[in-house]
Amino acid sequence: MNVLLINGSPKGDASNSMRLASAFLDGMRDAMPDIGLRTMAVSTADISPCKGCFACWSKTPGECCMHDDMTGVLKSEKWADVTIWSFPLYYFGVPGPLKTLIDRQLPTMLPFMVERSDGVGNGAHPSRFDRSNKRNVLISTCGFYTSKGNYDAVTGMFDHICGRSNYETVFCGQGELFRVRELRGKTDPYLIVVRQAGREFAAAGAIGAETRGRLSEPILPKETYEAMADASWGIDKDVAAGKAEQSGQGGKARASAPQALAFTRQMALLYNPKSYSGTLRVIEMDYTDIGEVYQISLTEQEATVVEGRAATATTVIKTPFELWQRIARGEIEGSQALGQGLYTVEGDFSLMLHWDSVFGTGDGSSDSATVRKSSRPAARPPLMLASLLPLTVFWACVPIDATLGSMVVLGVCALEPLLLHRHELTVYDDISMAMASLLALAMLAGVGNLWAQPASYLLFGAMWAASCATSVPFTAYYVKALYGGDKALGNPLFMSCNRILTLAWAAVFALNAVVAQVLASTPAHAYSGLVVSGLSLLMGLFTKWFQGFYPAWVAAGRPSPLKG
């Protein structure tokens, strides 16, 4: 299949519509990897307006008297099986340069009058070449919240050119969102659907009804999008309409809001009321480099922005405005910047842990490649239980009955990979199962009665401690999924917190070894498992507290004892 992609946007490669066209092409390649592709950008092409001389009909039939880039365009159209027209909606039509290209299609038509059979207009001109196997796709974005009712002029023109409904369309409202990197968490899922549309078109010649329905869904709710669009201009509606009250300073109305205010308002418009915690939360944005302070109040219904410190803030974010913009654009991870001390957070830190759910932006890391279907389901994140279970069973069962307990341990180690086959297993899981199995075999052989129990704690603790010398400490493997997956491993705050906890747990296991050794020769030997379990429970409570305390401590600008 040969495809001609015509980029009709004056913005060229920066076109929002081209992002959709590229996703559509990716989908076509998913279905047909050997697609032949030619692209042409109208913005850089040398195409003069049609003179209306009709020389291409009489003096030089089928050939324009002007020799410019249009000659190559017409040849590519004959070569292509599919022509994709990518363009933004300009004043309810196609951009001027693209209309010039369309006007120059006249050499492809014969001058004779014929009647149409599709009910479009009155009269037509037949094509000079067979178009029966030619297909066309229109891909376009517009600035309104929906495409519905805004493409009448475009579809009317292409009904005449291609025949009524004899072409596919992907018309997308809210097109300006695609240029905002801060909103990739919202726009990338839409591009995934566009890619699916391309796959269906290549495979079946049409976009399926379900996919078309998903394409028609707005990316953001109407009220949210229109409020964001209005705020993006940094101009007060009343001022623009000449209705604003005169200020007391020289009688001049305030002409525009600061860029930071417009940015903060847009951020607030993404607030997800479903995340309401039951109490009023006030986020104070202190942009330290420009001396601007704004507060965002999060209520059950909405988020509102006020200038200055109008209320007592529950969370204070002190950051350079330029840095916060970079974070929003995805140029730097917010958690990474926080760990590096580039900004600070005071007050309720729990809000930062759930920022994406509160403001509903997602992480912006979606890739349209993820729509490719895999032959096997992706593994679920690893479970710390997989590493703890074999030795926990050893510690609990062996002191009560060495033989039966050891057999239970071997059974658990044999069944664990089967029971957790849907989860990713780490090297620590394998080491833990190997240690528990070897210790159980030693007990069954009658050679581990005195040393196996304390040795198990020492070996397990040594594994935890040794992991701190690697790039990823033990606990980080198991909790990273709760903090964005592998990207959390690049967060110094996350890594230092996990190194501290991993070392602390290693120390507890060493203490457990001492306790087990002391109790080994006493009547309380059978209860050593319960004693060390109590110590582990206390450490578990400490871990839960530390996970909340430590990030808030460092986020407030206080020193960290370790660096990730």
Side-chain angles (χ1 to χ4, degrees), residues 516-533:
Q517 183 63 35
V518 170
L519 295 179
S521 57
T522 69
H525 170 66
Y527 303 102
S528 61
L530 294 176
V531 175
V532 298
S533 294

Side-chain angles (χ1 to χ4, degrees), residues 79-375:
W79 165 84
D81 301 302
V82 176
T83 299
I84 298 177
W85 304 78
S86 174
F87 57 92
L89 187 72
Y90 273 22
Y91 222 82
F92 305 101
V94 299
L98 179 58
K99 183 59 169 66
T100 296
L101 181 148
I102 293 173
D103 291 344
R104 292 284 301 277
Q105 301 285 315
L106 198 62
T108 68
M109 312 302 291
L110 292 169
F112 313 112
M113 296 289 184
V114 296
E115 292 296 325
R116 299 188 67 111
S117 59
D118 57 5
V120 177
N122 293 289
H125 298 286
S127 174
R128 286 186 182 273
F129 59 91
D130 183 12
R131 297 176 184 263
S132 58
N133 293 321
K134 302 287 187 182
R135 292 183 291 171
N136 291 269
V137 182
L138 313 185
I139 299 179
S140 178
T141 58
C142 69
F144 297 104
Y145 90 93
T146 179
S147 63
K148 294 178 181 178
N150 292 314
Y151 279 85
D152 307 59
V154 173
T155 56
M157 178 173 64
F158 276 91
D159 280 349
H160 281 278
I161 296 172
C162 303
R164 177 169 289 160
S165 302
N166 195 29
Y167 53 91
E168 281 287 0
T169 62
V170 177
F171 293 154
C172 175
Q174 308 186 20
E176 286 302 304
L177 298 182
F178 290 94
R179 68 178 176 85
V180 184
R181 293 188 61 182
E182 297 92 323
L183 296 175
R184 286 190 60 186
K186 296 291 186 181
T187 55
D188 280 2
Y190 189 89
L191 293 176
I192 290 176
V193 182
V194 174
R195 183 169 185 161
Q196 175 63 22
R199 185 183 298 109
E200 293 173 359
F201 178 81
I207 300 173
E210 180 181 353
T211 300
R212 182 160 296 287
R214 294 172 64 191
L215 288 172
S216 67
E217 296 174 0
I219 298 172
L220 293 177
K222 178 179 185 293
E223 296 76 12
T224 300
Y225 171 74
E226 291 184 345
M228 287 183 64
D230 292 344
S232 68
W233 299 107
I235 302 173
D236 186 272
K237 281 186 176 181
D238 290 337
V239 171
K243 300 176 182 178
E245 295 181 3
Q246 300 296 307
S247 69
Q249 299 179 358
K252 293 183 179 180
R254 185 178 181 186
S256 65
Q259 181 185 6
L261 177 57
F263 177 86
T264 307
R265 283 174 173 167
Q266 286 184 302
M267 183 171 68
L269 286 166
L270 292 173
Y271 171 60
N272 177 15
K274 293 181 180 179
S275 68
Y276 180 64
S277 62
T279 58
L280 174 68
R281 289 188 290 187
V282 179
I283 306 172
E284 184 170 294
M285 301 299 304
D286 185 349
Y287 298 124
T288 55
D289 55 340
I290 59 176
E292 297 279 352
V293 176
Y294 304 99
Q295 289 187 337
I296 307 174
S297 297
L298 308 181
T299 68
E300 187 175 4
Q301 291 82 26
E302 61 181 354
T304 57
V305 178
V306 297
E307 299 180 60
R309 296 182 172 90
T312 301
T314 54
T315 301
V316 178
I317 301 175
K318 295 183 178 181
T319 176
F321 178 56
E322 183 272 338
L323 172 66
W324 202 252
Q325 286 183 304
R326 289 180 58 207
I327 292 172
R329 289 193 297 266
E331 296 174 4
I332 182 173
E333 285 291 335
S335 55
Q336 182 178 355
L338 181 61
Q340 294 174 352
L342 300 182
Y343 72 96
T344 62
V345 179
E346 299 175 1
D348 179 15
F349 188 76
S350 65
L351 178 73
M352 306 304 295
L353 299 177
H354 305 285
W355 186 271
D356 284 351
S357 62
V358 172
F359 288 98
T361 58
D363 61 13
S365 61
S366 298
D367 188 339
S368 57
T370 60
V371 302
R372 293 182 178 176
K373 295 183 179 179
S374 173
S375 58

Side-chain angles (χ1 to χ4, degrees), residues 409-483:
V409 170
L410 291 174
V412 168
C413 291
L415 291 174
E416 182 172 300
L418 297 176
L419 296 175
L420 300 178
H421 71 281
R422 293 186 180 274
H423 290 268
E424 175 188 349
L425 292 178
T426 72
V427 63
Y428 300 120
D429 301 333
D430 295 334
I431 294 175
S432 178
M433 286 186 284
M435 283 194 298
S437 298
L438 291 173
L439 290 168
L441 290 173
M443 293 297 295
L444 290 174
V447 296
N449 294 335
L450 297 178
W451 56 265
Q453 191 79 358
S456 65
Y457 293 114
L458 285 176
L459 289 172
F460 199 52
M463 180 180 73
W464 283 58
S467 73
C468 290
T470 68
S471 59
V472 183
F474 183 93
T475 57
Y477 264 111
Y478 299 97
V479 299
K480 66 180 182 180
L482 301 176
Y483 299 92

